């Protein structure tokens, strides 16, 4: 059984969902406070266990302390907010100016998203990096889906005609690429969820809109088919990504998690309905509501994943042997 | 309840006042507030730290790591120049407020407070 002091610090470490460096400093500060209180109580004749229990009680509930710290440290400056909203604004510009039809522009945009997300992740896992990460993960996710569809098509063709619809080298490439792209997406997702499921939801924010766009493109004959219907709906899509930028800005300006959860849920629900209704295909209201519900469920699913990961993780994430307070996500920051 | 509300509304001014004389870490702040107010103000310790961090985020306090009495690392807080300005403004407002309150309150209450 944990000592009350260790148990308190461990519980607090699990509840703090801030940048690793901030988490580390807060835990170190509160651990120092508890140590001093425990020492004082022991000098008054209390046993070590009693002193630790009283010190933990005096600090108040871990939830209260974590919530107070979150409300202070989760509010970002306007400069950080601008950086966090940039990927959505870039996408809005790509659609507003019809630039997505240029393969070169799309490749450059994807490279920029991936590079910025990677830099943000490596330099202290800055919170602004998660909105960039969403777009950089779109490439492996969508290509995984397309590879899966291509392999399914190949299997069906082979089973029915005895021939492959494409060459053997491409088939081998797809077979190798499928688990590789899945591994990339799963590994990044797990790392993000371990930090904070709400940041994973923020990362996933553009996915429902990118998916509906890809499906619509597919319906209209493919990525570069030049369908007039697709180009006509570009302004609606630009508006959606502009709305995602506003959602991200508000997310980083409010310091309360419940408000942030409500904001992502409401924004996704409304924007998905708008997206489905705006697509020039005959979708009914019921279809729009169903797609909207599925998108919200997808966006909130990292909460379930985090709960499962927490159950499986070590019971002592905050207390390594040397007594220094280091969170499990900080020690693996690299 | 009323005492809690009064403390809530004045926590930041109390912290700035206390730290304007010397740098302190969280545990010492709790002890000093308890000692100087003769036990009247009893901070819920866990809520003190978010208040200190809020003041630091607003650039009214500056935190730095040092060594505490137990030899462990402690975070000390110092009032910044901006913090001193804000404190001066708040104290001037506080004087006006208490003078106005004293003009309205019954004489026995204000005499007891002065005594």
């Amino acid at each position: 059984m944990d000592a009350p002091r260790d148990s308190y610090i461990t519980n607090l470490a699990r509840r703090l969902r801030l940048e690793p460096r901030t988490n580390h400093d807060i835990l170190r500060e509160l651990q120092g406070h508890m140590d001093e209180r425990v020492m004082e109580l022991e000098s008054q004749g209390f046993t070590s266990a009693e002193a630790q229990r009283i010190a933990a009680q005096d600090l108040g509930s871990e939830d209260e302390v974590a919530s107070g710290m979150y409300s202070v440290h989760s509010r970002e400056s306007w400069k950080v907010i601008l950086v966090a909203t940039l990927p959505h604004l870039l996408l809005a510009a790509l659609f507003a100016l019809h630039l997505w039809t240029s393969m070169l522009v799309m490749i450059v945009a994807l490279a920029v998203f991936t590079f910025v997300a990677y830099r943000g992740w490596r330099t202290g896992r800055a919170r602004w990096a998660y909105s960039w990460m969403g777009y950089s993960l779109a490439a492996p996710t969508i290509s995984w889906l397309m590879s899966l569809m291509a392999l399914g098509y190949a299997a069906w063709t082979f089973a029915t005609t005895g021939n492959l619809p494409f060459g053997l080298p491409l088939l081998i490439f797809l077979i190798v690429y499928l688990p590789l792209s899945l591994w990339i997406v799963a590994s990044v997702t797990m790392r993000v969820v371990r930090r904070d499921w709400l940041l994973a939801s923020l990362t996933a924010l553009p996915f429902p809109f990118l998916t509906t766009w890809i499906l619509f493109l597919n319906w209209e004959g493919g990525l570069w088919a030049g369908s007039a219907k697709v180009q006509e709906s570009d302004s609606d899509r630009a508006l959606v990504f502009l709305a995602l930028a506003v959602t991200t800005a508000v997310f980083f300006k409010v310091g309360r998690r419940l408000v942030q959860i409500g904001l992502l849920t409401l924004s996704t629900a409304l924007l998905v309905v708008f997206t489905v209704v705006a697509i020039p295909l005959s979708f009914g209201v019921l279809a729009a509501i169903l797609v909207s519900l599925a998108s919200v469920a997808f966006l909130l699913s990292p909460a379930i994943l985090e709960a499962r990961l927490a159950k499986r993780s070590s019971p002592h994430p905050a207390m390594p042997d040397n007594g220094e307070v280091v969170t499990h996500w900080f020690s693996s920051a690299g | 309840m009323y005492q809690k509300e009064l403390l809530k509304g004045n926590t930041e001014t109390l912290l700035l006042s206390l730290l304007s004389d010397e740098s302190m870490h969280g545990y010492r702040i709790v002890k000093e507030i308890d000692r100087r107010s003769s036990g009247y103000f009893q901070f819920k310790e866990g809520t003190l730290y978010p208040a200190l961090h809020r003041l630091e985020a607003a650039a009214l306090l500056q935190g730095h790591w040092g060594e505490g009495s137990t030899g462990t690392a402690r975070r000390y807080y110092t009032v910044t120049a901006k913090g001193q300005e804000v404190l001066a403004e708040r104290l001037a407002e506080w004087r006006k407020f208490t003078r106005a309150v004293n003009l309205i309150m019954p004489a026995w209450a204000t005499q007891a407070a002065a005594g």
Side-chain angles (χ1 to χ4, degrees), chain A residues 83 111-121 128-129 132-133:
Chain A
V83 179
V112 169
F113 289 141
T114 309
F115 176 74
V116 177
Y118 179 74
R119 288 298 301 164
W121 179 264
W128 56 259
W132 291 83
M133 203 179 289

PDB file of all heavy atoms in Angstrom, chain A residues 83 111-121 128-129 132-133:
ATOM      1  N   VAL A  83      -0.621  30.496 -33.463  1.00  0.00           N
ATOM      2  CA  VAL A  83       0.132  29.358 -34.002  1.00  0.00           C
ATOM      3  C   VAL A  83      -0.754  28.099 -34.039  1.00  0.00           C
ATOM      4  O   VAL A  83      -0.722  27.330 -35.000  1.00  0.00           O
ATOM      5  CB  VAL A  83       1.413  29.091 -33.161  1.00  0.00           C
ATOM      6  CG1 VAL A  83       2.183  27.896 -33.695  1.00  0.00           C
ATOM      7  CG2 VAL A  83       2.310  30.318 -33.155  1.00  0.00           C
ATOM      8  N   ALA A 111       3.914  18.460 -45.854  1.00  0.00           N
ATOM      9  CA  ALA A 111       5.281  18.465 -45.299  1.00  0.00           C
ATOM     10  C   ALA A 111       5.399  19.512 -44.191  1.00  0.00           C
ATOM     11  O   ALA A 111       6.006  19.255 -43.143  1.00  0.00           O
ATOM     12  CB  ALA A 111       6.289  18.741 -46.415  1.00  0.00           C
ATOM     13  N   VAL A 112       4.791  20.690 -44.417  1.00  0.00           N
ATOM     14  CA  VAL A 112       4.840  21.765 -43.413  1.00  0.00           C
ATOM     15  C   VAL A 112       4.110  21.327 -42.142  1.00  0.00           C
ATOM     16  O   VAL A 112       4.616  21.471 -41.023  1.00  0.00           O
ATOM     17  CB  VAL A 112       4.231  23.077 -43.979  1.00  0.00           C
ATOM     18  CG1 VAL A 112       4.027  24.108 -42.869  1.00  0.00           C
ATOM     19  CG2 VAL A 112       5.131  23.652 -45.061  1.00  0.00           C
ATOM     20  N   PHE A 113       2.896  20.739 -42.304  1.00  0.00           N
ATOM     21  CA  PHE A 113       2.123  20.279 -41.139  1.00  0.00           C
ATOM     22  C   PHE A 113       2.943  19.280 -40.326  1.00  0.00           C
ATOM     23  O   PHE A 113       3.032  19.368 -39.109  1.00  0.00           O
ATOM     24  CB  PHE A 113       0.814  19.593 -41.581  1.00  0.00           C
ATOM     25  CG  PHE A 113      -0.206  20.540 -42.145  1.00  0.00           C
ATOM     26  CD1 PHE A 113      -0.980  20.177 -43.243  1.00  0.00           C
ATOM     27  CD2 PHE A 113      -0.408  21.793 -41.595  1.00  0.00           C
ATOM     28  CE1 PHE A 113      -1.926  21.034 -43.768  1.00  0.00           C
ATOM     29  CE2 PHE A 113      -1.348  22.665 -42.109  1.00  0.00           C
ATOM     30  CZ  PHE A 113      -2.113  22.285 -43.201  1.00  0.00           C
ATOM     31  N   THR A 114       3.548  18.315 -41.019  1.00  0.00           N
ATOM     32  CA  THR A 114       4.297  17.255 -40.334  1.00  0.00           C
ATOM     33  C   THR A 114       5.525  17.836 -39.635  1.00  0.00           C
ATOM     34  O   THR A 114       5.794  17.505 -38.476  1.00  0.00           O
ATOM     35  CB  THR A 114       4.720  16.165 -41.338  1.00  0.00           C
ATOM     36  OG1 THR A 114       3.561  15.778 -42.078  1.00  0.00           O
ATOM     37  CG2 THR A 114       5.302  14.961 -40.645  1.00  0.00           C
ATOM     38  N   PHE A 115       6.244  18.711 -40.315  1.00  0.00           N
ATOM     39  CA  PHE A 115       7.463  19.289 -39.748  1.00  0.00           C
ATOM     40  C   PHE A 115       7.144  20.118 -38.498  1.00  0.00           C
ATOM     41  O   PHE A 115       7.779  19.949 -37.446  1.00  0.00           O
ATOM     42  CB  PHE A 115       8.173  20.164 -40.792  1.00  0.00           C
ATOM     43  CG  PHE A 115       9.385  20.866 -40.258  1.00  0.00           C
ATOM     44  CD1 PHE A 115      10.568  20.168 -40.019  1.00  0.00           C
ATOM     45  CD2 PHE A 115       9.343  22.223 -39.972  1.00  0.00           C
ATOM     46  CE1 PHE A 115      11.674  20.818 -39.501  1.00  0.00           C
ATOM     47  CE2 PHE A 115      10.462  22.879 -39.456  1.00  0.00           C
ATOM     48  CZ  PHE A 115      11.625  22.173 -39.220  1.00  0.00           C
ATOM     49  N   VAL A 116       6.128  20.991 -38.602  1.00  0.00           N
ATOM     50  CA  VAL A 116       5.782  21.854 -37.458  1.00  0.00           C
ATOM     51  C   VAL A 116       5.286  21.005 -36.280  1.00  0.00           C
ATOM     52  O   VAL A 116       5.670  21.247 -35.123  1.00  0.00           O
ATOM     53  CB  VAL A 116       4.730  22.920 -37.862  1.00  0.00           C
ATOM     54  CG1 VAL A 116       4.313  23.759 -36.659  1.00  0.00           C
ATOM     55  CG2 VAL A 116       5.287  23.827 -38.950  1.00  0.00           C
ATOM     56  N   ALA A 117       4.439  20.001 -36.571  1.00  0.00           N
ATOM     57  CA  ALA A 117       3.929  19.132 -35.500  1.00  0.00           C
ATOM     58  C   ALA A 117       5.085  18.409 -34.814  1.00  0.00           C
ATOM     59  O   ALA A 117       5.140  18.318 -33.586  1.00  0.00           O
ATOM     60  CB  ALA A 117       2.941  18.118 -36.075  1.00  0.00           C
ATOM     61  N   TYR A 118       6.032  17.914 -35.608  1.00  0.00           N
ATOM     62  CA  TYR A 118       7.179  17.186 -35.065  1.00  0.00           C
ATOM     63  C   TYR A 118       8.036  18.109 -34.189  1.00  0.00           C
ATOM     64  O   TYR A 118       8.433  17.729 -33.084  1.00  0.00           O
ATOM     65  CB  TYR A 118       8.011  16.613 -36.212  1.00  0.00           C
ATOM     66  CG  TYR A 118       9.244  15.864 -35.750  1.00  0.00           C
ATOM     67  CD1 TYR A 118       9.128  14.593 -35.181  1.00  0.00           C
ATOM     68  CD2 TYR A 118      10.503  16.430 -35.866  1.00  0.00           C
ATOM     69  CE1 TYR A 118      10.250  13.910 -34.747  1.00  0.00           C
ATOM     70  CE2 TYR A 118      11.639  15.748 -35.432  1.00  0.00           C
ATOM     71  CZ  TYR A 118      11.504  14.492 -34.871  1.00  0.00           C
ATOM     72  OH  TYR A 118      12.609  13.826 -34.428  1.00  0.00           O
ATOM     73  N   ARG A 119       8.273  19.342 -34.657  1.00  0.00           N
ATOM     74  CA  ARG A 119       9.085  20.298 -33.886  1.00  0.00           C
ATOM     75  C   ARG A 119       8.389  20.635 -32.547  1.00  0.00           C
ATOM     76  O   ARG A 119       9.027  20.666 -31.506  1.00  0.00           O
ATOM     77  CB  ARG A 119       9.308  21.598 -34.673  1.00  0.00           C
ATOM     78  CG  ARG A 119      10.238  21.503 -35.840  1.00  0.00           C
ATOM     79  CD  ARG A 119      11.637  21.113 -35.476  1.00  0.00           C
ATOM     80  NE  ARG A 119      12.269  22.043 -34.547  1.00  0.00           N
ATOM     81  CZ  ARG A 119      13.360  21.775 -33.836  1.00  0.00           C
ATOM     82  NH1 ARG A 119      13.923  20.594 -33.917  1.00  0.00           N
ATOM     83  NH2 ARG A 119      13.876  22.674 -33.029  1.00  0.00           N
ATOM     84  N   GLY A 120       7.078  20.859 -32.631  1.00  0.00           N
ATOM     85  CA  GLY A 120       6.311  21.177 -31.422  1.00  0.00           C
ATOM     86  C   GLY A 120       6.336  20.036 -30.420  1.00  0.00           C
ATOM     87  O   GLY A 120       6.425  20.238 -29.214  1.00  0.00           O
ATOM     88  N   TRP A 121       6.279  18.822 -30.939  1.00  0.00           N
ATOM     89  CA  TRP A 121       6.284  17.625 -30.096  1.00  0.00           C
ATOM     90  C   TRP A 121       7.645  17.442 -29.428  1.00  0.00           C
ATOM     91  O   TRP A 121       7.740  17.143 -28.238  1.00  0.00           O
ATOM     92  CB  TRP A 121       5.953  16.412 -30.969  1.00  0.00           C
ATOM     93  CG  TRP A 121       5.946  15.104 -30.235  1.00  0.00           C
ATOM     94  CD1 TRP A 121       6.957  14.195 -30.128  1.00  0.00           C
ATOM     95  CD2 TRP A 121       4.850  14.548 -29.503  1.00  0.00           C
ATOM     96  NE1 TRP A 121       6.562  13.126 -29.379  1.00  0.00           N
ATOM     97  CE2 TRP A 121       5.273  13.309 -28.974  1.00  0.00           C
ATOM     98  CE3 TRP A 121       3.551  14.990 -29.235  1.00  0.00           C
ATOM     99  CZ2 TRP A 121       4.450  12.500 -28.205  1.00  0.00           C
ATOM    100  CZ3 TRP A 121       2.735  14.172 -28.468  1.00  0.00           C
ATOM    101  CH2 TRP A 121       3.186  12.945 -27.967  1.00  0.00           C
ATOM    102  N   TRP A 128       0.124  23.808 -28.632  1.00  0.00           N
ATOM    103  CA  TRP A 128      -0.281  24.273 -29.961  1.00  0.00           C
ATOM    104  C   TRP A 128       0.007  23.238 -31.040  1.00  0.00           C
ATOM    105  O   TRP A 128      -0.580  23.238 -32.116  1.00  0.00           O
ATOM    106  CB  TRP A 128       0.400  25.602 -30.312  1.00  0.00           C
ATOM    107  CG  TRP A 128       1.906  25.601 -30.257  1.00  0.00           C
ATOM    108  CD1 TRP A 128       2.674  26.099 -29.251  1.00  0.00           C
ATOM    109  CD2 TRP A 128       2.830  25.086 -31.233  1.00  0.00           C
ATOM    110  NE1 TRP A 128       4.008  25.921 -29.538  1.00  0.00           N
ATOM    111  CE2 TRP A 128       4.130  25.301 -30.749  1.00  0.00           C
ATOM    112  CE3 TRP A 128       2.680  24.453 -32.473  1.00  0.00           C
ATOM    113  CZ2 TRP A 128       5.283  24.912 -31.442  1.00  0.00           C
ATOM    114  CZ3 TRP A 128       3.825  24.064 -33.172  1.00  0.00           C
ATOM    115  CH2 TRP A 128       5.094  24.293 -32.649  1.00  0.00           C
ATOM    116  N   ALA A 129       0.980  22.323 -30.763  1.00  0.00           N
ATOM    117  CA  ALA A 129       1.405  21.360 -31.789  1.00  0.00           C
ATOM    118  C   ALA A 129       0.298  20.354 -32.139  1.00  0.00           C
ATOM    119  O   ALA A 129       0.312  19.769 -33.219  1.00  0.00           O
ATOM    120  CB  ALA A 129       2.642  20.605 -31.306  1.00  0.00           C
ATOM    121  N   TRP A 132      -1.669  20.972 -35.313  1.00  0.00           N
ATOM    122  CA  TRP A 132      -0.866  20.667 -36.502  1.00  0.00           C
ATOM    123  C   TRP A 132      -0.804  19.156 -36.710  1.00  0.00           C
ATOM    124  O   TRP A 132      -0.815  18.668 -37.840  1.00  0.00           O
ATOM    125  CB  TRP A 132       0.553  21.220 -36.347  1.00  0.00           C
ATOM    126  CG  TRP A 132       0.619  22.710 -36.382  1.00  0.00           C
ATOM    127  CD1 TRP A 132       0.402  23.569 -35.349  1.00  0.00           C
ATOM    128  CD2 TRP A 132       0.909  23.531 -37.528  1.00  0.00           C
ATOM    129  NE1 TRP A 132       0.540  24.867 -35.770  1.00  0.00           N
ATOM    130  CE2 TRP A 132       0.857  24.867 -37.105  1.00  0.00           C
ATOM    131  CE3 TRP A 132       1.215  23.257 -38.866  1.00  0.00           C
ATOM    132  CZ2 TRP A 132       1.100  25.949 -37.964  1.00  0.00           C
ATOM    133  CZ3 TRP A 132       1.459  24.330 -39.715  1.00  0.00           C
ATOM    134  CH2 TRP A 132       1.389  25.648 -39.266  1.00  0.00           C
ATOM    135  N   MET A 133      -0.738  18.437 -35.584  1.00  0.00           N
ATOM    136  CA  MET A 133      -0.605  16.984 -35.662  1.00  0.00           C
ATOM    137  C   MET A 133      -1.804  16.332 -36.351  1.00  0.00           C
ATOM    138  O   MET A 133      -1.657  15.344 -37.064  1.00  0.00           O
ATOM    139  CB  MET A 133      -0.446  16.430 -34.251  1.00  0.00           C
ATOM    140  CG  MET A 133       0.230  15.096 -34.181  1.00  0.00           C
ATOM    141  SD  MET A 133       0.364  14.595 -32.486  1.00  0.00           S
ATOM    142  CE  MET A 133       1.590  15.722 -31.888  1.00  0.00           C
TER     143      MET A 133
END
